[in-house]
Short mmCIF file of all heavy atoms in Angstrom, two decimals:
data_model
loop_
_atom_site.label_atom_id
_atom_site.label_comp_id
_atom_site.label_asym_id
_atom_site.label_seq_id
_atom_site.Cartn_x
_atom_site.Cartn_y
_atom_site.Cartn_z
N THR I 15 2.81 25.62 -3.11
CA THR I 15 3.75 24.74 -2.42
C THR I 15 3.09 24.00 -1.26
O THR I 15 3.28 22.79 -1.09
CB THR I 15 4.95 25.55 -1.87
OG1 THR I 15 5.55 26.22 -2.96
CG2 THR I 15 5.96 24.63 -1.23
N GLU I 16 2.29 24.70 -0.47
CA GLU I 16 1.65 24.09 0.69
C GLU I 16 0.81 22.88 0.30
O GLU I 16 0.64 21.95 1.06
CB GLU I 16 0.77 25.12 1.39
CG GLU I 16 0.01 24.59 2.60
CD GLU I 16 -0.99 25.60 3.14
OE1 GLU I 16 -0.81 26.80 2.88
OE2 GLU I 16 -1.95 25.19 3.80
N TYR I 17 0.32 22.91 -0.93
CA TYR I 17 -0.60 21.86 -1.35
C TYR I 17 0.06 20.50 -1.44
O TYR I 17 -0.59 19.47 -1.44
CB TYR I 17 -1.22 22.23 -2.70
CG TYR I 17 -2.47 21.45 -2.97
CD1 TYR I 17 -3.66 21.83 -2.36
CD2 TYR I 17 -2.46 20.33 -3.77
CE1 TYR I 17 -4.81 21.10 -2.57
CE2 TYR I 17 -3.61 19.60 -3.98
CZ TYR I 17 -4.77 20.00 -3.39
OH TYR I 17 -5.92 19.27 -3.58
N ASN I 18 1.39 20.47 -1.50
CA ASN I 18 2.09 19.20 -1.57
C ASN I 18 2.08 18.47 -0.24
O ASN I 18 2.48 17.31 -0.18
CB ASN I 18 3.55 19.42 -2.00
CG ASN I 18 3.65 19.65 -3.48
OD1 ASN I 18 2.83 19.18 -4.25
ND2 ASN I 18 4.65 20.40 -3.89
N GLY I 19 1.66 19.12 0.82
CA GLY I 19 1.71 18.52 2.13
C GLY I 19 0.38 17.97 2.60
O GLY I 19 -0.21 17.07 2.01
N CYS I 20 -0.12 18.52 3.68
CA CYS I 20 -1.28 17.96 4.37
C CYS I 20 -2.53 17.94 3.49
O CYS I 20 -3.27 16.97 3.48
CB CYS I 20 -1.55 18.78 5.63
SG CYS I 20 -2.80 18.04 6.72
N VAL I 21 -2.77 19.00 2.73
CA VAL I 21 -3.99 19.08 1.93
C VAL I 21 -4.06 17.92 0.95
O VAL I 21 -5.07 17.22 0.84
CB VAL I 21 -4.06 20.42 1.17
CG1 VAL I 21 -5.33 20.48 0.33
CG2 VAL I 21 -4.03 21.58 2.14
N ASN I 22 -2.99 17.71 0.23
CA ASN I 22 -2.95 16.64 -0.77
C ASN I 22 -3.19 15.28 -0.12
O ASN I 22 -3.95 14.45 -0.63
CB ASN I 22 -1.60 16.67 -1.48
CG ASN I 22 -1.59 15.77 -2.70
OD1 ASN I 22 -2.52 15.75 -3.48
ND2 ASN I 22 -0.53 15.01 -2.83
N SER I 23 -2.56 15.07 1.01
CA SER I 23 -2.70 13.81 1.73
C SER I 23 -4.14 13.56 2.16
O SER I 23 -4.69 12.48 1.97
CB SER I 23 -1.77 13.80 2.95
OG SER I 23 -2.01 12.68 3.76
N VAL I 24 -4.78 14.59 2.73
CA VAL I 24 -6.14 14.44 3.23
C VAL I 24 -7.12 14.22 2.09
O VAL I 24 -8.02 13.37 2.17
CB VAL I 24 -6.56 15.66 4.07
CG1 VAL I 24 -8.05 15.65 4.37
CG2 VAL I 24 -5.76 15.69 5.38
N VAL I 25 -6.98 14.98 1.00
CA VAL I 25 -7.89 14.83 -0.13
C VAL I 25 -7.89 13.40 -0.65
O VAL I 25 -8.94 12.79 -0.86
CB VAL I 25 -7.51 15.79 -1.28
CG1 VAL I 25 -8.31 15.47 -2.53
CG2 VAL I 25 -7.78 17.22 -0.88
N LEU I 26 -6.71 12.85 -0.85
CA LEU I 26 -6.63 11.50 -1.40
C LEU I 26 -7.21 10.47 -0.42
O LEU I 26 -7.83 9.50 -0.84
CB LEU I 26 -5.19 11.15 -1.76
CG LEU I 26 -4.62 11.93 -2.94
CD1 LEU I 26 -3.20 11.46 -3.26
CD2 LEU I 26 -5.49 11.82 -4.17
N GLN I 27 -7.02 10.70 0.86
CA GLN I 27 -7.61 9.77 1.84
C GLN I 27 -9.14 9.86 1.83
O GLN I 27 -9.82 8.83 1.93
CB GLN I 27 -7.07 10.08 3.24
CG GLN I 27 -5.62 9.68 3.44
CD GLN I 27 -5.15 10.01 4.84
OE1 GLN I 27 -5.50 9.32 5.79
NE2 GLN I 27 -4.36 11.06 4.97
N LEU I 28 -9.68 11.08 1.71
CA LEU I 28 -11.13 11.23 1.65
C LEU I 28 -11.70 10.55 0.42
O LEU I 28 -12.70 9.82 0.48
CB LEU I 28 -11.51 12.71 1.64
CG LEU I 28 -11.43 13.46 2.97
CD1 LEU I 28 -11.68 14.95 2.73
CD2 LEU I 28 -12.44 12.91 3.96
N ILE I 29 -11.07 10.78 -0.73
CA ILE I 29 -11.54 10.17 -1.97
C ILE I 29 -11.44 8.65 -1.88
O ILE I 29 -12.36 7.92 -2.27
CB ILE I 29 -10.74 10.70 -3.16
CG1 ILE I 29 -11.08 12.17 -3.40
CG2 ILE I 29 -11.01 9.87 -4.42
CD1 ILE I 29 -10.22 12.86 -4.42
N SER I 30 -10.33 8.18 -1.33
CA SER I 30 -10.16 6.73 -1.17
C SER I 30 -11.23 6.15 -0.26
O SER I 30 -11.77 5.06 -0.51
CB SER I 30 -8.77 6.42 -0.60
OG SER I 30 -8.58 5.04 -0.44
N MET I 31 -11.59 6.89 0.81
CA MET I 31 -12.60 6.40 1.75
C MET I 31 -13.93 6.17 1.04
O MET I 31 -14.61 5.16 1.27
CB MET I 31 -12.77 7.41 2.89
CG MET I 31 -13.80 6.99 3.93
SD MET I 31 -13.80 8.09 5.38
CE MET I 31 -14.46 9.61 4.68
N PHE I 32 -14.30 7.09 0.14
CA PHE I 32 -15.59 6.96 -0.53
C PHE I 32 -15.53 6.06 -1.76
O PHE I 32 -16.55 5.50 -2.16
CB PHE I 32 -16.12 8.34 -0.91
CG PHE I 32 -16.44 9.19 0.28
CD1 PHE I 32 -15.85 10.43 0.46
CD2 PHE I 32 -17.35 8.75 1.23
CE1 PHE I 32 -16.15 11.21 1.57
CE2 PHE I 32 -17.65 9.53 2.34
CZ PHE I 32 -17.06 10.75 2.51
N GLU I 33 -14.35 5.91 -2.35
CA GLU I 33 -14.24 5.05 -3.53
C GLU I 33 -13.98 3.59 -3.17
O GLU I 33 -14.46 2.68 -3.83
CB GLU I 33 -13.12 5.56 -4.45
CG GLU I 33 -13.42 6.86 -5.15
CD GLU I 33 -14.46 6.71 -6.25
OE1 GLU I 33 -14.64 5.59 -6.75
OE2 GLU I 33 -15.11 7.72 -6.59
N THR I 34 -13.18 3.37 -2.12
CA THR I 34 -12.76 2.00 -1.80
C THR I 34 -13.17 1.55 -0.41
O THR I 34 -12.99 0.38 -0.06
CB THR I 34 -11.23 1.85 -1.92
OG1 THR I 34 -10.58 2.56 -0.85
CG2 THR I 34 -10.73 2.41 -3.25
N GLY I 35 -13.69 2.48 0.43
CA GLY I 35 -14.10 2.12 1.78
C GLY I 35 -12.99 2.18 2.79
O GLY I 35 -13.18 1.79 3.95
N SER I 36 -11.83 2.67 2.39
CA SER I 36 -10.69 2.75 3.31
C SER I 36 -9.88 4.00 3.03
O SER I 36 -9.78 4.45 1.89
CB SER I 36 -9.78 1.52 3.13
OG SER I 36 -8.58 1.66 3.87
N THR I 37 -9.30 4.59 4.11
CA THR I 37 -8.43 5.74 3.93
C THR I 37 -7.02 5.33 3.54
O THR I 37 -6.18 6.18 3.25
CB THR I 37 -8.36 6.59 5.22
OG1 THR I 37 -7.91 5.78 6.30
CG2 THR I 37 -9.72 7.18 5.55
N GLU I 38 -6.73 4.03 3.56
CA GLU I 38 -5.43 3.57 3.08
C GLU I 38 -5.36 3.77 1.57
O GLU I 38 -6.28 3.35 0.84
CB GLU I 38 -5.23 2.09 3.42
CG GLU I 38 -5.11 1.80 4.90
CD GLU I 38 -3.86 2.42 5.51
OE1 GLU I 38 -2.87 2.61 4.76
OE2 GLU I 38 -3.87 2.70 6.71
N LEU I 39 -4.31 4.41 1.09
CA LEU I 39 -4.21 4.74 -0.33
C LEU I 39 -3.73 3.53 -1.12
O LEU I 39 -2.56 3.41 -1.46
CB LEU I 39 -3.30 5.94 -0.53
CG LEU I 39 -3.72 7.21 0.20
CD1 LEU I 39 -2.87 8.38 -0.26
CD2 LEU I 39 -5.19 7.51 -0.01
N ASN I 40 -4.67 2.66 -1.42
CA ASN I 40 -4.35 1.43 -2.11
C ASN I 40 -4.42 1.64 -3.62
O ASN I 40 -5.42 1.32 -4.27
CB ASN I 40 -5.30 0.32 -1.67
CG ASN I 40 -4.93 -1.02 -2.24
OD1 ASN I 40 -3.92 -1.15 -2.94
ND2 ASN I 40 -5.73 -2.02 -1.97
N PHE I 41 -3.35 2.19 -4.20
CA PHE I 41 -3.31 2.40 -5.63
C PHE I 41 -3.35 1.07 -6.39
O PHE I 41 -3.63 1.03 -7.57
CB PHE I 41 -2.07 3.20 -6.03
CG PHE I 41 -2.20 4.68 -5.79
CD1 PHE I 41 -1.78 5.24 -4.60
CD2 PHE I 41 -2.75 5.50 -6.74
CE1 PHE I 41 -1.91 6.60 -4.37
CE2 PHE I 41 -2.89 6.86 -6.53
CZ PHE I 41 -2.46 7.41 -5.34
N ALA I 42 -3.05 -0.02 -5.70
CA ALA I 42 -3.08 -1.33 -6.32
C ALA I 42 -4.48 -1.91 -6.40
O ALA I 42 -4.70 -2.96 -6.99
CB ALA I 42 -2.18 -2.30 -5.54
N ASN I 43 -5.46 -1.21 -5.83
CA ASN I 43 -6.83 -1.70 -5.82
C ASN I 43 -7.36 -1.90 -7.24
O ASN I 43 -7.22 -1.04 -8.11
CB ASN I 43 -7.71 -0.68 -5.08
CG ASN I 43 -9.18 -1.01 -5.15
OD1 ASN I 43 -9.63 -2.01 -4.61
ND2 ASN I 43 -9.93 -0.17 -5.85
N CYS I 44 -7.99 -3.02 -7.50
CA CYS I 44 -8.65 -3.28 -8.78
C CYS I 44 -9.86 -4.17 -8.51
O CYS I 44 -9.75 -5.21 -7.85
CB CYS I 44 -7.70 -3.97 -9.76
SG CYS I 44 -8.40 -4.18 -11.41
N ARG I 45 -11.03 -3.74 -8.99
CA ARG I 45 -12.25 -4.46 -8.70
C ARG I 45 -13.24 -4.31 -9.84
O ARG I 45 -13.14 -3.35 -10.64
CB ARG I 45 -12.88 -3.93 -7.41
CG ARG I 45 -13.39 -2.51 -7.55
CD ARG I 45 -13.67 -1.84 -6.23
NE ARG I 45 -14.22 -0.50 -6.40
CZ ARG I 45 -13.51 0.57 -6.72
NH1 ARG I 45 -12.20 0.46 -6.92
NH2 ARG I 45 -14.07 1.76 -6.86
N LYS I 46 -14.19 -5.21 -9.94
CA LYS I 46 -15.26 -5.09 -10.92
C LYS I 46 -16.23 -4.04 -10.44
O LYS I 46 -16.76 -4.12 -9.33
CB LYS I 46 -15.96 -6.43 -11.11
CG LYS I 46 -16.96 -6.41 -12.27
CD LYS I 46 -17.53 -7.79 -12.55
CE LYS I 46 -18.49 -7.75 -13.73
NZ LYS I 46 -19.04 -9.08 -14.04
N ASP I 47 -16.49 -3.04 -11.28
CA ASP I 47 -17.33 -1.93 -10.87
C ASP I 47 -18.80 -2.32 -10.92
O ASP I 47 -19.24 -3.01 -11.83
CB ASP I 47 -17.07 -0.72 -11.78
CG ASP I 47 -17.49 0.58 -11.14
OD1 ASP I 47 -16.66 1.19 -10.45
OD2 ASP I 47 -18.65 0.97 -11.32
N SER I 48 -19.57 -1.83 -9.95
CA SER I 48 -20.98 -2.22 -9.84
C SER I 48 -21.89 -1.45 -10.78
O SER I 48 -23.06 -1.80 -10.95
CB SER I 48 -21.46 -2.04 -8.40
OG SER I 48 -21.33 -0.69 -8.01
N ASP I 49 -21.39 -0.36 -11.41
CA ASP I 49 -22.26 0.45 -12.26
C ASP I 49 -22.07 0.18 -13.75
O ASP I 49 -22.50 0.96 -14.60
CB ASP I 49 -22.07 1.93 -11.97
CG ASP I 49 -20.67 2.43 -12.33
OD1 ASP I 49 -19.87 1.64 -12.87
OD2 ASP I 49 -20.39 3.62 -12.08
N GLY I 50 -21.40 -0.94 -14.07
CA GLY I 50 -21.26 -1.32 -15.47
C GLY I 50 -20.08 -0.70 -16.18
O GLY I 50 -20.01 -0.73 -17.42
N SER I 51 -19.12 -0.15 -15.42
CA SER I 51 -17.97 0.50 -16.04
C SER I 51 -16.77 -0.43 -16.21
O SER I 51 -15.65 0.02 -16.46
CB SER I 51 -17.54 1.71 -15.20
OG SER I 51 -18.56 2.69 -15.20
N GLY I 52 -17.03 -1.73 -16.07
CA GLY I 52 -15.94 -2.69 -16.24
C GLY I 52 -15.14 -2.84 -14.97
O GLY I 52 -15.71 -2.90 -13.87
N TYR I 53 -13.82 -2.85 -15.09
CA TYR I 53 -12.95 -2.95 -13.93
C TYR I 53 -12.42 -1.56 -13.58
O TYR I 53 -12.03 -0.79 -14.46
CB TYR I 53 -11.80 -3.92 -14.19
CG TYR I 53 -12.25 -5.36 -14.16
CD1 TYR I 53 -12.69 -6.00 -15.32
CD2 TYR I 53 -12.28 -6.08 -12.97
CE1 TYR I 53 -13.13 -7.31 -15.29
CE2 TYR I 53 -12.72 -7.39 -12.93
CZ TYR I 53 -13.15 -8.00 -14.08
OH TYR I 53 -13.60 -9.29 -14.05
N ALA I 54 -12.43 -1.27 -12.29
CA ALA I 54 -11.96 0.03 -11.79
C ALA I 54 -10.68 -0.18 -11.00
O ALA I 54 -10.58 -1.09 -10.18
CB ALA I 54 -13.02 0.67 -10.90
N SER I 55 -9.69 0.68 -11.25
CA SER I 55 -8.40 0.51 -10.58
C SER I 55 -7.95 1.80 -9.92
O SER I 55 -8.38 2.90 -10.30
CB SER I 55 -7.34 0.06 -11.60
OG SER I 55 -7.23 0.99 -12.65
N GLY I 56 -7.05 1.66 -8.94
CA GLY I 56 -6.56 2.81 -8.21
C GLY I 56 -7.59 3.34 -7.22
O GLY I 56 -8.68 2.79 -7.09
N ILE I 57 -7.26 4.43 -6.54
CA ILE I 57 -8.18 4.96 -5.54
C ILE I 57 -9.26 5.83 -6.16
O ILE I 57 -10.26 6.15 -5.51
CB ILE I 57 -7.44 5.76 -4.45
CG1 ILE I 57 -6.83 7.03 -5.03
CG2 ILE I 57 -6.41 4.90 -3.75
CD1 ILE I 57 -6.41 8.02 -4.00
N ILE I 58 -9.09 6.26 -7.42
CA ILE I 58 -10.10 7.12 -8.02
C ILE I 58 -10.81 6.42 -9.17
O ILE I 58 -11.50 7.05 -9.96
CB ILE I 58 -9.51 8.46 -8.49
CG1 ILE I 58 -8.50 8.24 -9.61
CG2 ILE I 58 -8.89 9.21 -7.34
CD1 ILE I 58 -8.07 9.54 -10.25
N SER I 59 -10.64 5.10 -9.26
CA SER I 59 -11.42 4.27 -10.19
C SER I 59 -11.20 4.61 -11.66
O SER I 59 -12.11 5.05 -12.37
CB SER I 59 -12.91 4.38 -9.84
OG SER I 59 -13.16 3.90 -8.54
N PHE I 60 -9.97 4.41 -12.13
CA PHE I 60 -9.73 4.40 -13.57
C PHE I 60 -10.43 3.18 -14.14
O PHE I 60 -10.15 2.05 -13.72
CB PHE I 60 -8.23 4.33 -13.88
CG PHE I 60 -7.47 5.56 -13.49
CD1 PHE I 60 -6.63 5.58 -12.38
CD2 PHE I 60 -7.58 6.72 -14.24
CE1 PHE I 60 -5.92 6.71 -12.04
CE2 PHE I 60 -6.87 7.87 -13.90
CZ PHE I 60 -6.04 7.87 -12.80
N THR I 61 -11.34 3.36 -15.09
CA THR I 61 -12.17 2.24 -15.54
C THR I 61 -11.79 1.75 -16.93
O THR I 61 -11.28 2.51 -17.77
CB THR I 61 -13.65 2.63 -15.56
OG1 THR I 61 -13.85 3.69 -16.51
CG2 THR I 61 -14.11 3.07 -14.18
N THR I 62 -12.09 0.47 -17.19
CA THR I 62 -11.82 -0.11 -18.51
C THR I 62 -12.87 0.35 -19.52
O THR I 62 -12.55 0.53 -20.70
CB THR I 62 -11.80 -1.64 -18.42
OG1 THR I 62 -13.00 -2.10 -17.77
CG2 THR I 62 -10.61 -2.13 -17.62
N ARG I 63 -14.11 0.54 -19.10
CA ARG I 63 -15.16 0.94 -20.04
C ARG I 63 -14.91 2.31 -20.65
O ARG I 63 -15.11 2.53 -21.85
CB ARG I 63 -16.52 0.93 -19.34
CG ARG I 63 -17.66 1.39 -20.25
CD ARG I 63 -18.98 1.43 -19.54
NE ARG I 63 -20.04 1.90 -20.41
CZ ARG I 63 -21.30 2.10 -20.03
NH1 ARG I 63 -21.66 1.83 -18.77
NH2 ARG I 63 -22.20 2.55 -20.88
N HIS I 64 -14.47 3.27 -19.82
CA HIS I 64 -14.29 4.64 -20.29
C HIS I 64 -12.88 4.93 -20.79
O HIS I 64 -12.58 6.06 -21.18
CB HIS I 64 -14.66 5.62 -19.17
CG HIS I 64 -16.08 5.52 -18.75
ND1 HIS I 64 -16.45 4.93 -17.56
CD2 HIS I 64 -17.23 5.89 -19.36
CE1 HIS I 64 -17.78 4.97 -17.45
NE2 HIS I 64 -18.27 5.53 -18.53
N GLY I 65 -12.03 3.93 -20.79
CA GLY I 65 -10.69 4.10 -21.36
C GLY I 65 -9.65 4.67 -20.44
O GLY I 65 -8.48 4.81 -20.82
N ASP I 66 -10.03 5.05 -19.20
CA ASP I 66 -9.06 5.64 -18.28
C ASP I 66 -7.95 4.65 -17.93
O ASP I 66 -6.78 5.01 -17.87
CB ASP I 66 -9.76 6.09 -16.99
CG ASP I 66 -10.80 7.15 -17.23
OD1 ASP I 66 -10.48 8.18 -17.84
OD2 ASP I 66 -11.95 6.93 -16.83
N ALA I 67 -8.36 3.40 -17.68
CA ALA I 67 -7.36 2.39 -17.30
C ALA I 67 -6.37 2.15 -18.42
O ALA I 67 -5.17 1.97 -18.19
CB ALA I 67 -8.06 1.09 -16.91
N LEU I 68 -6.86 2.17 -19.66
CA LEU I 68 -5.98 1.96 -20.81
C LEU I 68 -4.94 3.08 -20.91
O LEU I 68 -3.77 2.83 -21.23
CB LEU I 68 -6.80 1.90 -22.09
CG LEU I 68 -6.01 1.68 -23.39
CD1 LEU I 68 -5.24 0.36 -23.33
CD2 LEU I 68 -6.95 1.71 -24.59
N LYS I 69 -5.36 4.32 -20.62
CA LYS I 69 -4.41 5.44 -20.66
C LYS I 69 -3.31 5.25 -19.63
O LYS I 69 -2.13 5.57 -19.89
CB LYS I 69 -5.16 6.76 -20.40
CG LYS I 69 -6.10 7.16 -21.51
CD LYS I 69 -6.85 8.44 -21.16
CE LYS I 69 -7.84 8.81 -22.25
NZ LYS I 69 -8.62 10.03 -21.89
N VAL I 70 -3.68 4.75 -18.45
CA VAL I 70 -2.67 4.50 -17.41
C VAL I 70 -1.68 3.45 -17.89
O VAL I 70 -0.46 3.61 -17.77
CB VAL I 70 -3.35 4.03 -16.10
CG1 VAL I 70 -2.29 3.64 -15.09
CG2 VAL I 70 -4.24 5.13 -15.54
N ILE I 71 -2.21 2.37 -18.44
CA ILE I 71 -1.34 1.28 -18.90
C ILE I 71 -0.42 1.76 -20.03
O ILE I 71 0.78 1.45 -20.05
CB ILE I 71 -2.20 0.09 -19.36
CG1 ILE I 71 -2.93 -0.51 -18.16
CG2 ILE I 71 -1.33 -0.97 -20.04
CD1 ILE I 71 -3.98 -1.53 -18.52
#
Side-chain angles (χ1 to χ4, degrees):
T15 303
E16 178 188 337
Y17 199 79
N18 282 332
C20 189
V21 179
N22 191 44
S23 172
V24 169
V25 170
L26 292 183
Q27 288 180 75
L28 284 174
I29 291 172
S30 180
M31 180 172 69
F32 294 123
E33 290 288 337
T34 71
S36 172
T37 58
E38 293 295 333
L39 302 189
N40 186 3
F41 281 92
N43 174 67
C44 185
R45 67 196 183 283
K46 188 173 182 179
D47 201 89
S48 60
D49 64 4
S51 295
Y53 286 90
S55 58
I57 67 165
I58 65 171
S59 298
F60 292 107
T61 63
T62 51
R63 177 182 179 183
H64 297 106
D66 299 306
L68 180 60
K69 292 177 182 178
V70 174
I71 293 170

